[in-house]
Amino acid sequence: RINPYLCHLLTRYQSTIFPNHKSCVRKKGVPIRKEVFIKNYIKALNNGDAAVFAGAGLSASSGCVNWKQLLGEIAEELQLDIEKESDLVAIAQYYYNKNGSNRTRLNDIIKDAFQTGKNPNVNHNILARLPVSTYWTTNYDKLIEKSLENNGKICDVKTCCANLTTTLKGRNVIVYKMHGDVDHPEEAVLIRDDYESYSQEKRPFINALSGDLMTKTFLFIGFSFTDPNFSYICAHLRTHLKGNMREHYCFLKDISRDDYEDESEFEYEKRKLSYFIDDLKRFNIKTILIQEYSEITEILRSIKRIYNSRTVYISGAAAEYEPDGKDAYEKFISKLSGRLICEGYKIVSGYGLGVGSAVISGALTEIYYNQKMSLTDQLILRPFPQGADAKKLWETYRQDMISYSGISIFLLGNKEENGTIVMSNGMRSEYEISKEQGNFLIPIGRTGYMSKELWEDLLREKQDEHTFDIYRHDIESLGDSKKALDEIVEIVIEIIKKVK
């Protein structure tokens, strides 16, 4: 037993008494673990307060230039080596000064670099499918808003202070382009004069970003943190909040030994990065270190997959209900839908023939009578458009529906053609789309038809995949014709819980 007062003294002065003790050493420059970031950012997505701050790096793989590439030509005209210059804003200012305060050439450079031939990349598209309603960017390109619009979002773009006073009807995303837009290069923030006058001329943007930094959880992606406007905003926020800043996250590339011939140079850059990571913590920005830029895509996909695992896509169609009969299968589907809602999952369905009404019945019973929740929060119904021309859109329509989900369930799967019952090729298509999008696949082979074929395919594909072993027995049970349909419902729910 230790005297309490002695214990107090040991705790208070342990850094002096035990200078090498683990708890006494403050770890500097330590990044946050990816798993911790993913968990915390998904929590922000669920709370509706996740935001993205995008720099030039986000658009790099779409072919957009970075600042060195943008200003490379004018640096040559100034007889300067762009690789030796760190203050790139100064390069633009020097050129502006040399041309008698005429920025026509600079405006043309922005137009030529960002206006044509660029399409959103995979990271744009993953972000666009997440429930992020606030984007901030220093980029001039239109790739963020294009990716959002491609994914059915109504995007309210703010490129100047006047835009901040208007609201686009029906918007579900706001994109703040704090340095302007390629369509108005004459107003873009580019030269030192623009940065020096920003706090006066763009004060509404500063106020808006300050408010979002206090109320939302940001992910900084492709951003170098060298922008003086952003540094100004963070410094003022930190002063006013006395260090009580909201937690944010950023991706930074680790220093690779392969990039340096000299060991001492490598150690120098590594040490410098460590100090930089520690300095970001002053603004409560935690760093996720990556070895390769492709890791960002993997992490974003993990976020989307885990977030979407709360939403289940039900694929099914039936003109025939062998061997259990129509009533038995409708009760089974209705019970399964109700149990999914009861367990807190959202359902997406295309209202398949002979299946859709049972999905709705089970979901509505649970939502209205037991959960007392909003219908739109738990059930997304997307009946397929009909008609010869409309069928051309079905593939795109399926991709859009399935993108909301992280788990896909397949049951039954037949239709009538010319008086004959055939397999549902639409279900096969939805299976392939679900697999391509990374959904967890649950074909219920017990219900026969196409779902049985898909069940057999899945087990064949996963026969040597050890990570699938945790689900293997349950998935195999879904094809057991001796199991009661009620028992199948419980097996499906157990699989989904394991996935989550």
Side-chain angles (χ1 to χ4, degrees):
R1 296 177 62 185
I2 300 176
N3 182 291
Y5 181 66
L6 177 59
C7 186
H8 163 73
L9 289 176
L10 287 171
T11 303
R12 184 172 180 180
Y13 299 109
Q14 63 176 339
S15 60
T16 303
I17 301 169
F18 307 116
N20 296 320
H21 193 272
K22 235 188 259 185
S23 62
C24 306
V25 181
R26 184 187 169 199
K27 293 182 179 180
K28 294 195 173 187
V30 178
I32 190 172
R33 289 190 297 114
K34 294 173 189 176
E35 297 81 7
V36 175
F37 157 67
I38 290 172
K39 178 182 177 182
N40 292 347
Y41 198 67
I42 288 173
K43 183 178 179 181
L45 289 170
N46 289 330
N47 292 339
D49 52 28
V52 168
F53 196 113
L58 177 61
S59 301
S61 64
S62 294
C64 289
V65 297
N66 58 31
W67 263 61
K68 280 192 174 182
Q69 294 165 330
L70 180 68
L71 301 176
E73 286 186 18
I74 66 171
E76 284 185 21
E77 291 184 37
L78 293 169
Q79 295 183 311
L80 295 174
D81 186 349
I82 196 71
E83 295 301 327
K84 294 180 179 179
E85 301 298 325
S86 58
D87 189 352
L88 300 180
V89 175
I91 298 292
Q93 184 69 48
Y94 297 158
Y95 191 83
Y96 177 74
N97 296 342
K98 183 183 177 184
N99 285 275
S101 300
N102 185 326
R103 64 181 283 163
T104 302
R105 170 80 171 115
L106 293 172
N107 296 341
D108 288 341
I109 287 174
I110 292 175
K111 283 183 178 179
D112 292 342
F114 297 106
Q115 202 160 45
T116 57
K118 307 295 189 297
N119 291 305
N121 57 51
V122 62
N123 290 340
H124 283 113
N125 290 324
I126 296 172
L127 289 170
R129 288 173 178 167
L130 292 173
V132 176
S133 60
T134 303
Y135 286 78
W136 281 85
T137 184
T138 52
N139 298 346
Y140 307 129
D141 64 68
K142 293 179 170 293
L143 296 180
I144 292 174
E145 48 267 51
K146 187 184 287 188
S147 65
L148 290 165
E149 290 164 1
N150 289 346
N151 284 277
K153 305 284 181 72
I154 299 174
C155 193
D156 193 355
V157 183
K158 311 295 186 183
T159 61
C160 63
C161 291
N163 296 151
L164 300 178
T165 63
T166 62
T167 301
L168 181 66
K169 186 176 180 181
R171 72 180 186 189
N172 42 31
V173 182
I174 307 176
V175 178
Y176 296 93
K177 306 187 80 168
M178 62 183 291
H179 283 180
D181 181 83
V182 63
D183 286 348
H184 302 283
E186 68 282 355
E187 298 176 8
V189 176
L190 179 62
I191 62 177
R192 185 173 286 166
D193 285 349
D194 299 327
Y195 282 95
E196 290 175 351
S197 63
Y198 196 90
S199 63
Q200 297 300 319
E201 295 183 4
K202 306 284 188 180
R203 173 60 60 177
F205 271 95
I206 291 176
N207 293 339
L209 179 54
S210 298
D212 281 345
L213 285 168
M214 287 190 289
T215 59
K216 300 181 185 298
T217 299
F218 274 83
L219 170 59
F220 294 88
I221 179 169
F223 189 61
S224 64
F225 295 99
T226 57
D227 182 74
N229 291 329
F230 181 81
S231 299
Y232 170 86
I233 293 167
C234 279
H236 277 258
L237 261 185
R238 182 172 178 268
T239 301
H240 290 307
L241 297 176
K242 302 186 186 302
N244 298 308
M245 298 185 72
R246 191 181 181 98
E247 190 168 76
H248 307 292
Y249 306 94
C250 73
F251 291 118
L252 291 180
K253 191 174 185 297
D254 201 359
I255 305 299
S256 172
R257 179 65 185 86
D258 296 338
D259 295 335
Y260 300 90
E261 293 182 4
D262 187 83
E263 179 71 25
S264 61
E265 187 181 359
F266 164 70
E267 292 295 339
Y268 179 85
E269 293 298 330
K270 194 83 172 173
R271 185 162 56 250
K272 188 176 172 182
L273 177 61
S274 176
Y275 289 138
F276 182 65
I277 291 171
D278 200 52
D279 191 58
L280 287 176
K281 292 178 183 177
R282 292 191 301 132
F283 310 116
N284 211 10
I285 299 173
K286 307 292 178 63
T287 300
I288 307 103
L289 269 188
I290 56 170
Q291 304 302 316
E292 301 292 341
Y293 288 116
S294 59
E295 287 181 46
I296 295 176
T297 303
E298 293 171 13
I299 292 170
L300 293 179
R301 278 181 172 150
S302 293
I303 290 172
K304 179 180 177 293
R305 183 169 59 249
I306 295 169
Y307 176 81
N308 283 356
S309 67
R310 298 169 61 246
T311 303
V312 178
Y313 182 74
I314 297 181
S315 173
E320 182 180 85
Y321 302 85
E322 296 295 336
D324 298 86
K326 184 176 181 180
D327 287 347
Y329 277 121
E330 285 183 343
K331 288 179 182 177
F332 160 69
I333 296 167
S334 182
K335 183 175 181 179
L336 176 60
S337 300
R339 287 281 282 117
L340 288 170
I341 298 295
C342 180
E343 294 292 337
Y345 296 94
K346 181 185 289 188
I347 294 175
V348 181
S349 179
Y351 202 84
L353 173 69
V355 170
S357 58
V359 171
I360 294 172
S361 175
L364 291 186
T365 299
E366 184 63 29
I367 291 169
Y368 286 151
Y369 294 106
N370 298 328
Q371 300 293 319
K372 309 293 184 185
M373 299 177 72
S374 167
L375 173 64
T376 54
D377 289 339
Q378 298 299 107
L379 184 62
I380 301 175
L381 291 174
R382 292 284 188 86
F384 278 85
Q386 300 300 314
D389 293 335
K391 287 186 177 181
K392 298 175 184 177
L393 303 173
W394 281 10
E395 190 73 6
T396 303
Y397 196 68
R398 286 187 170 103
Q399 289 177 351
D400 181 56
M401 279 194 300
I402 293 169
S403 72
Y404 289 95
S405 64
I407 297 169
S408 295
I409 295 175
F410 305 89
L411 44 88
L412 294 165
N414 66 74
K415 61 182 180 179
E416 185 177 340
E417 281 187 359
N418 301 320
T420 304
I421 299 297
V422 297
M423 298 295 183
S424 172
N425 53 359
M427 180 179 284
R428 166 67 71 178
S429 177
E430 289 173 8
Y431 179 87
E432 296 300 331
I433 292 170
S434 296
K435 183 163 62 172
E436 182 183 339
Q437 293 193 7
N439 280 23
F440 190 88
L441 309 171
I442 308 179
I444 305 178
R446 164 70 173 78
T447 60
Y449 307 101
M450 179 57 76
S451 64
K452 185 173 182 181
E453 284 190 12
L454 299 177
W455 172 77
E456 291 170 346
D457 289 351
L458 179 65
L459 289 175
R460 188 162 49 249
E461 291 167 9
K462 301 288 186 179
Q463 61 183 349
D464 297 322
E465 190 175 310
H466 296 303
T467 56
F468 188 72
D469 288 346
I470 189 173
Y471 314 103
R472 192 178 305 279
H473 175 72
D474 291 330
I475 294 291
E476 288 173 348
S477 299
L478 293 181
D480 188 347
S481 59
K482 296 179 181 179
K483 288 192 179 296
L485 290 173
D486 284 352
E487 193 176 353
I488 295 294
V489 170
E490 299 308 317
I491 294 172
V492 171
I493 296 299
E494 184 62 30
I495 293 171
I496 291 175
K497 286 181 177 179
K498 288 180 179 179
V499 173
K500 186 178 180 180

